[in-house]
């Protein structure tokens, strides 16, 4: 059981919107931020899921949690969600762009609509919320904070999840671009988290379906030899949204147990070499035998 990082209600009086907040990592962040006193608005396409999650969190924390159904791809629905949040809470202080769509497939099997769907959710959806909330913050002179959930393959790319890799790379560019433009002019901070594997139903059903699980274990690729715990990610999200990180802007914090570096370093596979073999190699190197 991973401990929570902050204990005091550091977000009391703040309102935070979390897209895709009804399930998985979004739900974990919503739960922790609500524990820390924030008013939480969770959005996604399924009102029933949102209502269940909102009730579960509110029962646990006693703080306001509102579920508002809205498709991130629709600018009208995004505007309505923001208006409904303002009616209920009076102001908005933070945004987590967490909603995503993804699946695994050889790229040549994909239609252009498959690309459109994932890029629409991940990149255009993030742009829709960022632009609408950014305009509101600028108009109201609020120094809001934005957090984008990307992945480590936003910079390495990845076969078999190419629409997602393209979209997440776009969100990374958006993060760094807005951090500079809006940071300087308006004091709005924009950061990102790049998670490695965190088992959630949404990701695991689509990316590591039952039939594939016997073929490889994601934790074997990770130096720390385990997958992430959702509270570890929620702790990091709380920090990056809080005033404790007031000087962090345009940063991407990787939380993956070292996975992407392990697989990027040319010689990291030398972990398979035994101590005996290292002894022999050293002897050969020193004696030239
Ligand atoms: C190939 C597929 C497909 C698949 C859909 N399509 N699924 N193509 N393989 N598995 C194609 C369809 O045939 C269609 O093209 C087009 O994509 C749109 O399909 P729809 O079903 O109409 O899309 P939509 O209803 O918009 O649903 C979006 C979705 C779905 C992305 C396809 O999976 C979804 O709702 N996902 C939301 C949650 C999610 O994905 N969570 C995981 C995030 S995990 P045609 O041409 O037939 O019309 C994550 C982790 C990253 O991002 C890193 C992990 C380590
Ligand atoms: P998840 O539970 O499937 O979360 C995705 C959420 O996005 C769902 O709640 C989904 O709800 C919502 N969503 C999808 N399409 C939407 C749309 N058009 N409009 C509004 N909401 C939409 O998966 P997760 O693992 O928690 O993923 C959360 C984030 O972490 C994503 O950005 C993902 O890329 C990132 N990530 C996850 C992992 C991991 O290992 N889990 C690793 C790296 C990055 P509806 O379908 O009901 O709309």
């Amino acid at each position: 059981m991973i401990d929570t990082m902050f204990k005091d209600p550091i977000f009391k009086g703040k309102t935070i919107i979390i897209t895709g907040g009804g399930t998985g990592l979004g739900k974990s962040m919503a739960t922790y931020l609500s524990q820390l006193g924030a008013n939480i608005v969770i959005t996604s396409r399924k009102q029933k899921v949102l209502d269940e999650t909102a009730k579960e969190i509110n029962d646990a924390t006693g703080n306001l949690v509102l579920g508002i159904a809205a498709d991130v791809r629709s600018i009208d629905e995004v505007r309505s969600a923001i208006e409904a949040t303002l009616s209920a809470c009076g102001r908005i202080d933070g945004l987590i762009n967490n909603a995503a769509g993804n699946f695994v497939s050889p790229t040549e099997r994909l239609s252009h609509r498959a690309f459109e769907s994932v890029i629409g959710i991940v990149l255009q959806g993030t742009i829709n919320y960022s632009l609408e909330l950014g305009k509101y913050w600028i108009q109201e002179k609020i120094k809001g904070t934005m957090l984008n959930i990307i992945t480590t393959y936003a910079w390495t790319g990845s076969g078999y999840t190419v629409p997602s890799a393209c979209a997440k790379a776009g969100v990374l560019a958006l993060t760094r671009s807005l951090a500079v433009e809006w940071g300087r002019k308006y004091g709005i901070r924009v950061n990102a988290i790049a998670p490695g594997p965190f088992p959630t139903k949404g990701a695991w059903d689509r990316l590591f379906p039952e039939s594939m699980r016997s073929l490889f274990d994601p934790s074997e690729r990770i130096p720390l030899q385990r997958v992430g715990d959702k509270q570890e990610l929620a702790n990091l999200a709380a920090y990056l949204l809080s005033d404790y990180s007031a000087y962090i802007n345009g940063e991407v914090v990787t939380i993956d147990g070292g996975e992407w570096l392990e697989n990027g370093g040319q010689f990291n596979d030398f972990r398979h070499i035994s101590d005996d073999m290292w002894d022999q190699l050293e002897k050969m190197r020193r004696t030239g035998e």
Side-chain angles (χ1 to χ4, degrees):
M1 183 77 173
I2 300 290
D3 197 7
T4 54
M5 183 165 70
F6 298 111
K7 312 288 177 195
D8 296 332
I10 56 170
F11 290 105
K12 199 158 184 53
K14 305 266 188 202
T15 298
I16 298 166
I17 297 184
I18 304 171
T19 70
T23 63
L25 300 180
K27 180 178 174 182
S28 299
M29 292 187 279
T31 305
Y32 186 40
L33 294 168
S34 175
Q35 273 174 33
L36 296 175
N39 299 321
I40 296 294
V41 174
I42 49 177
T43 76
S44 69
R45 293 168 295 183
K46 300 186 193 93
Q47 188 66 55
K48 188 167 174 289
V49 173
L50 294 171
D51 288 343
E52 284 165 8
T53 298
K55 183 175 180 324
E56 189 185 320
I57 300 176
N58 173 264
D59 285 349
T61 68
N63 292 322
L64 181 98
V65 188
L66 210 59
I68 300 175
D71 190 321
V72 292
R73 293 170 287 192
S74 158
I75 193 69
D76 291 338
E77 291 182 30
V78 168
R79 284 180 181 144
S80 300
I82 291 173
E83 277 162 24
T85 305
L86 287 173
S87 301
C89 306
R91 66 180 258 150
I92 301 166
D93 303 278
L95 165 68
I96 306 183
N97 284 304
N98 165 79
N102 202 355
F103 42 73
V104 279
S105 172
T107 309
E108 64 276 18
R109 293 185 180 212
L110 296 178
S111 68
H112 71 282
R113 276 188 292 271
F115 267 86
E116 239 168 46
S117 170
V118 172
I119 288 172
I121 298 168
V122 175
L123 180 54
Q124 189 61 50
T126 299
I127 290 169
N128 286 344
Y129 270 97
S130 305
L131 194 57
E132 289 306 304
L133 260 187
K135 287 178 180 178
Y136 154 77
W137 283 336
I138 292 163
Q139 191 185 321
E140 298 298 321
K141 298 190 168 40
I142 294 172
K143 292 180 179 176
T145 308
M146 226 182 270
L147 183 59
N148 297 327
I149 308 302
I150 59 166
T151 67
T152 51
Y153 59 59
W155 53 86
T156 61
S158 177
Y160 307 97
T161 54
V162 172
S164 172
C166 296
K168 294 286 192 184
V171 176
L172 175 58
L174 182 78
T175 304
R176 290 174 168 157
S177 306
L178 287 183
V180 172
E181 187 180 334
W182 287 355
R184 176 174 289 276
K185 282 161 78 178
Y186 310 112
I188 294 170
R189 287 194 302 127
V190 188
N191 289 301
I193 293 178
F198 282 76
T200 62
K201 187 170 166 25
W204 254 230
D205 282 0
R206 290 178 177 87
L207 306 174
F208 301 114
E210 201 61 55
S211 54
M212 274 192 198
R213 285 178 206 169
S214 56
L215 298 179
F216 63 94
D217 171 3
S219 56
E220 271 176 16
R221 298 161 41 86
I222 302 171
L224 297 184
Q225 295 180 59
R226 67 171 177 87
V227 291
D229 182 293
K230 294 199 275 288
Q231 185 61 45
E232 292 175 307
L233 187 128
N235 285 344
L236 177 58
Y239 170 66
L240 289 174
L241 282 172
S242 78
D243 291 342
Y244 291 99
S245 63
Y247 200 48
I248 298 181
N249 186 32
E251 186 54 87
V252 182
V253 181
T254 302
I255 179 165
D256 73 342
E259 182 194 37
W260 88 271
L261 287 170
E262 161 98 22
N263 296 291
Q266 243 171 347
F267 293 96
N268 288 334
D269 275 346
F270 278 34
R271 69 180 185 275
H272 297 299
I273 295 178
S274 66
D275 281 350
D276 283 352
M277 223 164 148
W278 277 120
D279 290 344
Q280 282 175 34
L281 284 167
E282 188 172 349
K283 199 172 154 208
M284 278 163 60
R285 186 165 53 80
R286 287 183 189 280
T287 61
E289 286 167 16

